[in-house]
Amino acid sequence: MPSTLTENVRKTVLENGLTVLTKEVHTAPVVTVQVWYKVGSRNEEPGVNGIAHQLEHLMFKGTQNRPIQFGRLFSALGSDSNAFTSYDQTAYYGTVERNKLKALLVLEADRMQNSQIEPEQLASEKRVVISELQGYENSPEYRLNRAVMQAVFPNHAYGLPVGGTKADVEKFEVEQVQEYYRNFYSPDNAVLVIVGDFQTGNILETIKEVFGKLPRRQGAGGRGQGVGGRGAGEAGEAGEAGGEELITKCPIPHSPLPTPIVLREPGAGRLLQVVYPLPDANQPDVPMLDVMDYIFTEGRNSRLYQALVESGLASEVTASVTSLRESGWYEVLVTAGSKQDLKKIDSVLSSAIANVAEKGVTTEEVERAKTQLTADVILSNRDITSQAMRLGNDETTVGDYRYTDRYLAAVCLVKPTDVVAVINKYLTKESRTVGFFEPTQKQVTGVSDKPDSAQTTENFSPGVPVLPSEVAKYLPPVDLVTDAIAQVLPQEFKLTNGLRILLLPDRSTPTVTLSGYIQAGTEFDLENQAGLAAFVSENLLNGTTSKNVLTIAKVLAERGASLNFEVHREGVHIEGDSLAGDLPIILEILADVVKNSTFPAKELELHRQQTLTDLQQELDEPSEVARRIFVQSIYPKKHPLHTFPTEESLQQIQRQDVIDFKAKHYRPDTTVLALVGDFDLDKVRSLIQNEFGNWQVSGQAPTLKYPPVSMPEKIVSVNPVLPGKAQAVTYMGYTGINRYDPRFHAALVLNQILGGDTLSSRLGAEVRDRQGLSYGIYSYFHTGKNAGTFLIEMQTSPEDSSKAIASTRQILQQIHQQGVTALEVETAKRTLISNYNVSLANPEELTDRILMNEVYGLDKVELHSFTDKLQKVTFEQVNQAARELLHPDKIVVVTAGPSVLAEKSIR
């Protein structure tokens, strides 16, 4: 399989030490700019754990030259920007239209040297970071992992949580953070990666002009404070990274605990985590370990899935190899089946691993794992942002941007004996550290319809926190666009049975992306059988008249292809991808399962048990509990959106119900397929005709009438209490508009101003940025075919919930009464248009956009006319939408979280 990852990558090192990696990709008029600093939690120690992550947050607070929230500048550019901290690095990234490339470079160079780190900013951003950490604390998996990793690496920073701890974050002083910034944020400790539509020669001149004058560190060297790895949440979304001098390190000494770590805390399911120490990323065993991992846990045919999930002991088993600059580890996480014993699961897990070590693996298993691994790397690098991430990660972790090419070449050479050798070498009983999570009893209680009496009033300025004219003042100049974007539209055709297909050839990578839709969503669930639509979609791949579940899984796995069905309210979404040559396989299996699935009784029962375990865990997550109660508080009983699965409804579902639902709702005339990728139009048309042409339909497709839903007459508050949670999650909102509402485009612009971005919106600027009350706050108009919901979602410390809700309502009131400014409207339109153009450069987003335009019955030119419609939205239309669509006094507020909330009047 060809790897084009480092073809035409050029590496340049400036005189000040900045490493620059450039790669031209001319498939779409967009570019990505990323700055990777060779510092992460690996450079920390207990007492200052989380300082790298804290600094990452402060890097958005502005510079001496631009004393303004950088999120607002990125948003005004229409840049899809974010950042993450990991064990070995901290990275900042943005993807924009190509004419904004220099502007992004100017902003990154500015904050590399001139960031403002002031006491007031640190105080508010510490609250935000603590809110983020409390979000992680809500998860039993996170708490168990933290305890186990501390035991695996007691004397190395890889044992510390990437995001830090609340105790350490609270103690950070401005001088500490400033010193950390001076020590590590400089060109000689950074890698600049640019991938996309540009000319290398020209851009290198620009880089020298913008970055070349920045000084390198004064006599800096060594590790600084001390931590590192691939972590949780925003604090560690990406993977590994490293520093300048690359030497083979002595392995970090480990002293595993003889008995399991046991956490007995509030929660839902039982969890088992096992961690084995591994070597660093540069060692030759890493490719063999990854092949081993795929054999153990990738897919239905994998060894641990067969031993633990198929037997009913576990509802899920996942594993991953983490390879970092100074060490690595293999982590296995098992979610126990209902009423299953963790000691027994651990014993079966150990036996399964020992069995492979003793009896070996087959050549077929190894070849399948190698194909899956290679295909995963290629398929995960289809868009320019991912390609740049891979280059930045490789250059900072192991000091070589070509690492992945070498790695894939080494994967090709792995033999069955190599897999057995690494199991015997690393997965020994003596080296492992084991953790058990044993949940204690929990109760969910609710408090509802409290009167709106004790409203908290914040020190809240009625004006806009930062005027858009201020943003414009600090925005670097943008190059003029000199050439039009070629607008290619999908080809559309329809089979005689009503199946609609949209095809868009794209030769940029040797891959194909499939997106599909069947009108068989949860809106058709009856209350006493809520969960039925999901039962059908999630069991389609479990066997047909000609293939059993393992055969289907094996056919896909042997090619590294994927095919998934996910149920939503208004339909089942199909997602698939493969290397270009394997498209016939995906289409053949898709056609087989939608026409001929048999729903074997054994598989259905296993699925029921897994679903019950999943439900138990969902009802332990504040975000899921808040969402569920929020939706059910808006939409009354008997409404198609009101039903959610319960233990009782899942137990009611019989095999015949599944068969009947499938026969009634899975029809070619309510199905749409969209394909984007490297294929020949005529060949694909004839393939689809051959596979789907005989899919028969009888009678009319089932339809639903959505009853009208009135707004709440007052503020309705519901406060479900989840014991043992550190953070609260709030949903606020009411019924909204559907996709066909004439105010749709104006509502998008209004939403962008209100809460479309957590850093640059009115809600973000006030609630998150100025007051530091929430790690994330967003608003949405969810618009379906039949209904819509307006909602605001935020996560807060429990003690900050009242304040955050009060401030949010005040902002809604302010915009409802006073409207927004003309400059805000123009900025929001520019941002939305730019974000949309950037999204079309990602094959998955492009395919999904083509699909949903067809599902909504929009003209296929909508793919490109969407931006014209946004451009035509007027200032008056946005303010009219604000008056008609924002209702601060008729709103449902649901806050799920710790019991402290029950004692307060939440508004």
Side-chain angles (χ1 to χ4, degrees):
M1 278 176 262
S3 168
T4 55
L5 194 62
T6 59
E7 264 178 14
N8 81 336
V9 175
R10 180 162 164 187
K11 180 174 178 176
T12 309
V13 182
L14 303 191
E15 285 182 16
N16 60 6
L18 179 69
T19 298
V20 181
L21 300 176
T22 53
K23 179 183 180 182
E24 292 183 29
V25 178
H26 299 291
T27 50
V30 295
V31 289
T32 189
V33 172
Q34 303 183 1
V35 180
W36 293 64
Y37 293 96
K38 300 174 192 176
V39 59
S41 60
R42 178 177 64 87
N43 305 82
E44 297 169 3
E45 58 196 17
V48 288
N49 180 205
I51 195 166
H53 178 223
Q54 183 69 70
L55 175 57
E56 174 226 306
H57 276 243
L58 288 165
M59 288 289 283
F60 285 86
K61 286 293 196 179
T63 64
Q64 290 150 19
N65 305 326
R66 295 179 174 83
I68 182 173
Q69 163 59 258
F70 263 45
R72 292 185 148 243
L73 298 175
F74 293 135
S75 181
L77 279 174
S79 173
D80 182 8
S81 293
N82 211 325
F84 63 84
T85 306
S86 191
Y87 293 100
D88 291 340
Q89 80 275 78
T90 309
Y92 302 82
Y93 56 94
T95 304
V96 289
E97 294 156 310
R98 64 180 167 212
N99 62 314
K100 296 161 182 171
L101 172 53
K102 184 174 179 181
L104 262 194
L105 293 173
V106 168
L107 292 176
E108 289 298 353
D110 188 15
R111 64 176 174 174
M112 183 179 281
Q113 189 177 24
N114 304 313
S115 281
Q116 287 190 125
I117 299 164
E118 307 293 346
E120 189 183 342
Q121 296 167 328
L122 178 60
S124 78
E125 212 57 33
K126 274 160 71 164
R127 287 180 81 169
V128 170
V129 167
I130 288 166
S131 167
E132 180 183 354
L133 296 178
Q134 287 173 325
Y136 301 152
E137 289 287 338
N138 279 353
S139 158
E141 289 96 332
Y142 176 82
R143 303 200 301 271
L144 180 62
N145 177 262
R146 192 180 59 189
V148 172
M149 290 301 289
Q150 244 162 353
V152 176
F153 295 103
N155 302 309
H156 190 281
Y158 286 161
L160 300 175
V162 172
T165 61
K166 182 182 176 188
D168 281 4
V169 169
E170 283 173 335
K171 290 185 299 207
F172 291 150
E173 300 288 341
V174 168
E175 295 74 22
Q176 275 180 300
V177 184
Q178 287 172 338
E179 184 187 6
Y180 197 87
Y181 174 63
R182 285 193 299 271
N183 280 348
F184 293 111
Y185 278 61
S186 62
D188 52 310
N189 197 43
V191 176
L192 171 66
V193 188
I194 306 174
V195 176
D197 193 14
F198 59 85
Q199 299 299 322
T200 304
N202 298 346
I203 208 59
L204 285 175
E205 287 308 310
T206 305
I207 290 166
K208 285 171 188 164
E209 173 200 331
V210 173
F211 283 90
K213 56 184 178 289
L214 301 185
R216 60 169 67 226
R217 290 174 293 181
Q218 298 301 310
R223 269 183 49 180
Q225 286 125 298
V227 187
R230 218 164 22 199
E234 182 217 296
E237 288 161 351
E240 316 91 68
E244 307 106 292
E245 67 335 314
L246 214 79
I247 45 176
T248 302
K249 309 268 188 316
C250 299
I252 297 166
H254 305 276
S255 45
L257 301 176
T259 55
I261 296 160
V262 181
L263 293 191
R264 287 190 177 86
E265 297 174 358
R270 291 184 177 83
L271 300 170
L272 163 71
Q273 184 168 40
V274 183
V275 174
Y276 300 88
L278 296 180
D280 66 80
N282 252 329
Q283 299 309 309
D285 287 345
V286 169
M288 302 173 200
L289 286 160
D290 280 334
V291 172
M292 170 204 81
D293 172 40
Y294 271 62
I295 290 170
F296 275 142
T297 61
E298 188 64 29
R300 295 288 295 253
N301 293 280
S302 62
R303 294 297 188 100
L304 296 184
Y305 189 96
Q306 287 290 311
L308 295 168
V309 181
E310 289 286 350
S311 65
L313 282 172
S315 72
E316 188 179 20
V317 57
T318 59
S320 62
V321 173
T322 298
S323 306
L324 302 179
R325 182 173 155 73
E326 294 185 0
S327 186
W329 57 87
Y330 185 51
E331 173 188 333
V332 183
L333 180 67
V334 184
T335 305
S338 183
K339 303 183 178 63
Q340 297 294 341
D341 179 63
L342 289 177
K343 285 182 180 165
K344 183 181 180 186
I345 292 172
D346 186 32
S347 169
V348 172
L349 171 69
S350 296
S351 299
I353 293 172
N355 186 46
V356 178
E358 185 188 335
K359 297 183 179 168
V361 291
T362 65
T363 303
E364 183 190 359
E365 281 179 302
V366 172
E367 291 307 311
R368 185 167 66 229
K370 285 156 61 170
T371 302
Q372 287 175 303
L373 229 175
T374 307
D376 279 354
V377 171
I378 294 170
L379 290 166
S380 66
N381 282 284
R382 283 174 292 181
D383 63 285
I384 59 168
T385 305
S386 302
Q387 290 176 38
M389 285 277 178
R390 180 76 63 165
L391 294 169
N393 190 59
D394 287 352
E395 182 68 23
T396 50
T397 305
V398 295
D400 182 6
Y401 70 88
R402 295 169 303 233
Y403 173 79
T404 295
D405 284 347
R406 292 201 328 256
Y407 165 86
L408 288 175
V411 165
C412 288
L413 302 175
V414 174
K415 302 186 294 294
T417 50
D418 298 327
V419 175
V420 174
V422 291
I423 293 171
N424 284 318
K425 186 172 177 182
Y426 298 109
L427 269 55
T428 62
K429 205 107 192 213
E430 306 76 58
S431 70
R432 65 188 209 131
T433 302
V434 179
F436 290 171
F437 181 84
E438 294 276 9
T440 54
Q441 277 305 103
K442 66 178 229 20
Q443 293 275 297
V444 177
T445 58
V447 186
S448 89
D449 281 21
K450 281 182 166 183
D452 182 24
S453 52
Q455 179 173 317
T456 310
T457 306
E458 236 318 270
N459 172 21
F460 175 68
S461 54
V464 184
V466 177
L467 293 168
S469 55
E470 285 287 284
V471 177
K473 185 168 86 179
Y474 294 119
L475 209 56
V478 169
D479 296 340
L480 293 172
V481 181
T482 52
D483 47 351
I485 299 166
Q487 298 193 341
V488 186
L489 291 172
Q491 300 269 330
E492 190 175 343
F493 73 102
K494 190 173 180 180
L495 301 188
T496 53
N497 60 12
L499 178 71
R500 289 166 287 161
I501 298 104
L502 298 125
L503 303 174
L504 184 62
D506 170 12
R507 312 282 183 188
S508 59
T509 64
T511 64
V512 176
T513 305
L514 163 76
S515 201
Y517 170 96
I518 302 172
Q519 196 177 317
T522 60
E523 61 186 3
F524 291 109
D525 277 352
L526 299 173
E527 189 171 0
N528 66 337
Q529 290 187 327
L532 177 57
F535 255 57
V536 177
S537 66
E538 289 163 11
N539 283 280
L540 286 170
L541 290 163
N542 282 350
T544 65
T545 47
S546 61
K547 299 181 188 74
N548 68 18
V549 58
L550 293 180
T551 306
I552 293 170
K554 187 176 166 191
V555 169
L556 288 168
E558 282 172 347
R559 288 157 178 82
S562 74
L563 182 63
N564 298 298
F565 297 84
E566 188 178 352
V567 74
H568 295 270
R569 285 290 178 193
E570 291 190 338
V572 172
H573 283 243
I574 306 163
E575 289 178 1
D577 57 25
S578 73
L579 299 173
D582 297 323
L583 176 59
I585 302 293
I586 283 206
L587 290 175
E588 182 199 327
I589 288 180
L590 174 59
D592 191 21
V593 300
V594 295
K595 292 187 295 187
N596 309 313
S597 48
T598 53
F599 305 107
K602 175 182 172 248
E603 300 298 337
L604 270 183
E605 203 42 54
L606 186 63
H607 177 77
R608 188 195 315 272
Q609 296 312 316
Q610 292 169 346
T611 306
L612 287 166
T613 304
D614 292 345
L615 176 66
Q616 206 181 8
Q617 291 189 305
E618 279 177 20
L619 296 180
D620 185 53
E621 291 176 17
S623 58
E624 186 57 37
V625 171
R627 184 179 76 88
R628 198 178 254 244
I629 294 176
F630 171 74
V631 170
Q632 292 190 323
S633 300
I634 294 173
Y635 298 104
K637 284 193 172 184
K638 308 295 181 198
H639 191 283
L641 299 183
H642 182 87
T643 54
F644 281 86
T646 63
E647 190 174 334
E648 295 73 34
S649 72
L650 293 171
Q651 297 285 15
Q652 290 284 325
I653 297 168
Q654 303 301 309
R655 178 168 178 261
Q656 193 58 47
D657 300 322
V658 175
I659 292 168
D660 293 346
F661 186 98
K662 157 75 169 42
K664 183 177 178 183
H665 295 284
Y666 280 67
R667 308 163 51 99
D669 55 347
T670 65
T671 299
V672 184
L673 298 178
L675 281 161
V676 173
D678 187 4
F679 54 74
D680 177 274
L681 271 170
D682 292 335
K683 284 183 183 167
V684 171
R685 284 180 73 140
S686 96
L687 259 176
I688 290 172
Q689 178 65 53
N690 289 343
E691 295 294 350
F692 293 91
N694 64 352
W695 187 9
Q696 293 309 311
V697 63
S698 62
Q700 292 298 307
T703 55
L704 271 178
K705 187 145 178 65
Y706 274 56
V709 177
S710 54
M711 299 281 295
E713 290 180 10
K714 57 178 182 176
I715 295 170
V716 177
S717 282
V718 189
N719 308 141
V721 175
L722 280 80
K725 299 302 177 188
Q727 187 186 59
V729 175
T730 297
Y731 274 66
M732 306 170 65
Y734 37 77
T735 54
I737 58 173
N738 67 21
R739 177 62 181 84
Y740 307 110
D741 193 291
R743 297 165 294 186
F744 172 73
H745 295 92
L748 289 182
V749 176
L750 171 64
N751 186 69
Q752 180 63 25
I753 295 165
L754 171 66
D757 184 299
T758 202
L759 292 178
S760 68
S761 63
R762 291 260 194 121
L763 288 173
E766 178 63 24
V767 179
R768 184 208 189 278
D769 210 45
R770 192 179 79 77
Q771 297 184 45
L773 298 176
S774 172
Y775 166 54
I777 181 166
Y778 299 93
S779 62
Y780 311 89
F781 282 96
H782 282 310
T783 54
K785 289 170 80 171
N786 299 301
T789 308
F790 169 71
L791 71 93
I792 295 168
E793 178 187 358
M794 67 176 113
Q795 51 189 99
T796 56
S797 296
E799 59 272 19
D800 289 336
S801 298
S802 300
K803 224 184 258 188
I805 291 166
S807 288
T808 299
R809 281 196 48 235
Q810 284 179 304
I811 290 168
L812 285 173
Q813 189 81 45
Q814 182 189 325
I815 297 179
H816 171 72
Q817 290 175 344
Q818 300 167 20
V820 297
T821 67
L823 205 46
E824 280 181 304
V825 170
E826 288 310 308
T827 304
K829 280 158 57 172
R830 259 203 325 273
T831 300
L832 288 168
I833 289 166
S834 185
N835 285 343
Y836 180 81
N837 289 334
V838 166
S839 77
L840 295 187
N842 181 317
E844 287 174 356
E845 292 189 50
L846 172 62
T847 314
D848 200 51
R849 183 70 67 162
I850 290 169
L851 174 82
M852 293 315 292
N853 284 348
E854 177 65 28
V855 168
Y856 287 128
L858 305 171
D859 194 301
K860 65 178 180 180
V861 299
E862 175 75 13
L863 191 64
H864 300 296
S865 65
F866 177 75
T867 52
D868 299 334
K869 291 174 183 174
L870 282 173
Q871 190 57 56
K872 287 176 181 155
V873 171
T874 66
F875 165 63
E876 291 76 18
Q877 286 171 330
V878 176
N879 279 333
Q880 185 180 344
R883 287 191 298 274
E884 295 174 2
L885 301 177
L886 299 184
H887 305 286
D889 298 320
K890 297 178 176 180
I891 194 164
V892 173
V893 182
V894 179
T895 302
S899 55
V900 63
L901 295 163
E903 298 152 22
K904 294 187 173 186
S905 179
I906 301 295
R907 288 288 153 267

